[in-house]
Amino acid sequence: MSSAVPGADAPKTLVGGQLAVAALLLAAANFLVVLDTTIANVSVPNIAGGLAVSSSQGTFVITSYSVAEAVTVPLTGWLAGRFGTVRTFVTAMLGFGICSALCGFAQSLGMLVLFRVLQGLAGGPLMPLSQTLLLRVFPKEKAPAAMGIWAMTTLVAPILGPILGGTLCDNWGWPFIFYINVPIALICAVACWGLLKSFETATVRPRFDLMGLILLIVWVGALQIMLDEGKDLDWFSSSTIVALAIVAVIGLAAFLIWELTEAHPVVELKVFRHRGFAMAVLTISLGFGAFFGATVLTPLWLQSNMGYTATWAGYATAATGVLAVMAAPMVANMSAKVDPRPLVFFGLMWLAGVTLYRSGSTPDMTYGQISLPLLMQGLGMPFFFVPLTGLALASVNVEETASAAGLMNFLRTLSGAFATSLVNTLWEDGATRNRAELVDLLRPGLIGDGLSIHQLDSLVQGQGVMLATNQIFLGVAVAFALSALVIWLAPKPTRVADTTGVH
């Protein structure tokens, strides 16, 4: 799975202010795509209320975007080779802006999910292509500075996403979390075409693995719909869920067989023959799934059970990114000099410890008591992500780096989507189960004190949700710890990988 883009050397160079503008435009494109992975997290209750659906259905807005974005990544290299790097980037940017506007116009959940899928399909190529174009237009000696600007957007966007999402929802309404993308996307598209069209790459007609893509969409789509709809349809008592499970299993088996035998696969599975890469990807899939699941759950819990507005839920959630941004440069420097496995282990165990602490949350916690663990959690993130990326890519052959980077990004994004569905289902089921158990346990004594069954149920409602939240946090802590142990199954890398092409 490659993001590499073929093409001849650039016919000219940009100078002075042109380079600065190019860097800002391309970084802004990446910023929008990353922003939209988190801006909707704190907005789910508002979206669900506005469209008259449950919060569990509201999370479809997150999972549909993530899955669509992940599926598009394998197509980036082919699209850029077939239509040209600049043309593909500008078209994707325009598509992202148009689909963002359509998301805001949506009047039903079905329409919103459809437009979020289209938005994700447009956004998938923007991250790798923004990197590709930065490295193409900047002189080699200035490329690190350009990539530094690009990397900062990847770190800052997840911090601003919850804050911006909460503020827009509370003051303007949930459609504005999508409308805000439109002017930026259109300006970036038009300006990038005017500034970068002379850097267009030659087009070719590369072979495309259409069957592999179809099988990928079939099994991923069936599995994601099964996870999203399972709770509402009572899981395997429903013929629909059973059918989706069968399609997912058969589709995955067919996909694996096809991709392993195809000469030009859409997903290069053969890189899994490297034990270091396989273990690194398993680690990042488990760890990122745990992280993203908890990140989605936190604002849902704060708004549904703790009385927080979307804005204040956003402020609390965004605290995670502060120490992450501060520690990232130090960790990147360390990763190039020492064995990355202890760094990854420390990062994941730190995340496990903080999340274990969070599993003792109570309904009377203050804002400081909630946000401080989230702030401390951010310290573990760069120790997890930065050296793990280097370890994974250092474990494959140099010529396989682009394919390995794309595959790792695909599985990381997919694990976040799957975890969102699982966490939301387990949380709602746990809240219902805990509430029922508490009512049965307390009914004899409290009804005797004059409380009605309705009053009793209302009394334990909050406690049931709080217990379910803590149970999820405990499960997330275990997942972090397991992923920390998995990293020791990877051998020590023998080289330092170039990670500039990773998104």
Side-chain angles (χ1 to χ4, degrees):
M1 179 183 300
S2 173
S3 313
V5 180
D9 291 336
K12 71 166 192 171
T13 58
L14 301 178
V15 294
Q18 291 178 318
L19 280 177
V21 171
L24 290 174
L25 289 172
L26 294 169
N30 180 64
F31 178 84
L32 282 186
V33 177
V34 178
L35 181 77
D36 266 57
T37 63
T38 61
I39 195 171
N41 288 1
V42 298
S43 312
V44 167
N46 298 70
I47 294 173
L51 298 179
V53 297
S54 66
S55 291
S56 62
Q57 291 175 311
T59 57
F60 295 174
V61 176
I62 299 172
T63 58
S64 58
Y65 177 84
S66 297
V67 169
E69 184 184 83
V71 168
T72 319
V73 170
L75 302 180
T76 303
W78 183 87
L79 288 169
R82 177 66 181 84
F83 301 105
T85 306
V86 178
R87 190 175 291 107
T88 301
F89 176 83
V90 169
T91 302
M93 198 75 253
L94 286 172
F96 190 87
I98 292 170
C99 293
S100 295
L102 292 174
C103 287
F105 294 146
Q107 298 297 308
S108 68
L109 180 64
M111 290 175 62
L112 180 55
V113 169
L114 171 62
F115 296 141
R116 278 288 274 178
V117 168
L118 296 176
Q119 187 190 35
L121 293 175
L126 290 176
M127 285 192 289
L129 288 181
S130 62
Q131 275 186 317
T132 299
L133 287 169
L134 269 176
L135 294 174
R136 184 170 176 75
V137 302
F138 270 74
K140 190 171 184 179
E141 66 275 10
K142 295 182 179 179
M147 291 310 300
I149 296 173
W150 186 94
M152 284 305 296
T153 64
T154 305
L155 293 172
V156 172
I159 301 176
L160 294 182
I163 297 173
L164 193 58
T167 302
L168 289 172
C169 277
D170 285 342
N171 294 285
W172 297 89
W174 67 262
F176 281 86
I177 70 172
F178 302 114
Y179 291 153
I180 193 174
N181 294 332
V182 179
I184 302 174
L186 296 181
I187 291 171
C188 282
V190 174
C192 281
W193 179 251
L195 191 62
L196 305 178
K197 60 184 176 183
S198 62
F199 289 85
E200 185 62 281
T201 53
T203 58
V204 294
R205 291 184 177 272
R207 182 174 175 180
F208 180 62
D209 180 18
L210 179 60
M211 180 56 69
L213 178 64
I214 292 173
L215 291 172
L216 175 66
I217 293 173
V218 166
W219 81 261
V220 169
L223 181 57
Q224 186 62 56
I225 294 171
M226 184 188 80
L227 293 174
D228 283 340
E229 296 285 2
K231 177 182 178 295
D232 294 332
L233 298 179
D234 199 19
W235 291 105
F236 291 100
S237 63
S238 165
S239 59
T240 301
I241 296 299
V242 171
L244 287 169
I246 293 173
V247 170
V249 171
I250 295 176
L252 175 58
F255 171 76
L256 294 175
I257 294 170
W258 180 270
E259 294 299 276
L260 289 171
T261 56
E262 168 64 25
H264 303 281
V266 70
V267 179
E268 185 53 83
L269 296 176
K270 292 178 182 177
V271 294
F272 278 120
R273 72 184 185 280
H274 302 286
R275 179 161 60 93
F277 177 77
M279 292 303 102
V281 168
L282 179 57
T283 300
I284 202 169
S285 296
L286 283 172
F288 186 77
F291 169 76
F292 201 75
T295 300
V296 171
L297 174 62
T298 297
L300 285 174
W301 160 56
L302 291 177
Q303 292 177 77
S304 66
N305 195 48
M306 301 293 286
Y308 278 54
T309 63
T311 299
W312 281 102
Y315 282 127
T317 305
T320 300
V322 177
L323 289 182
V325 171
M326 296 173 63
M330 176 192 69
V331 177
N333 186 51
M334 292 173 61
S335 300
K337 298 178 179 178
V338 302
D339 182 351
R341 295 175 301 172
L343 299 179
V344 175
F345 180 79
F346 168 78
L348 286 166
M349 290 304 295
W350 180 271
L351 291 170
V354 173
T355 311
L356 181 63
Y357 174 80
R358 294 184 68 199
S359 69
S361 299
T362 61
D364 58 352
M365 294 176 72
T366 64
Y367 174 82
Q369 291 171 321
I370 291 170
S371 61
L372 181 59
L374 289 169
L375 176 69
M376 299 308 298
Q377 177 179 277
L379 181 61
M381 290 171 57
F383 283 93
F384 166 34
F385 287 112
V386 176
L388 189 55
T389 298
L391 172 62
L393 300 187
S395 302
V396 304
N397 299 332
V398 174
E399 65 273 13
E400 296 174 322
T401 301
S403 295
L407 179 55
M408 182 169 57
N409 182 71
F410 166 75
L411 290 173
R412 184 195 67 190
T413 306
L414 208 59
S415 68
F418 290 166
T420 298
S421 298
L422 286 173
V423 163
N424 188 70
T425 296
L426 292 173
W427 184 57
E428 292 200 353
D429 286 347
T432 301
R433 182 183 64 254
N434 293 332
R435 185 174 65 247
E437 290 176 354
L438 287 171
V439 168
D440 289 341
L441 182 66
L442 299 175
R443 179 187 286 121
L446 293 183
I447 290 180
D449 290 337
L451 288 177
S452 67
I453 293 179
H454 175 73
Q455 290 172 315
L456 176 62
D457 186 68
S458 178
L459 181 67
V460 300
Q461 168 78 22
Q463 288 296 332
V465 175
M466 189 72 262
L467 284 172
T469 304
N470 287 342
Q471 289 159 357
I472 294 295
F473 286 152
L474 180 60
V476 167
V478 171
F480 277 134
L482 287 175
S483 60
L485 295 176
V486 169
I487 197 60
W488 294 113
L489 298 176
K492 182 179 179 179
T494 56
R495 65 182 179 89
V496 176
D498 177 12
T499 60
T500 57
V502 182
H503 49 280

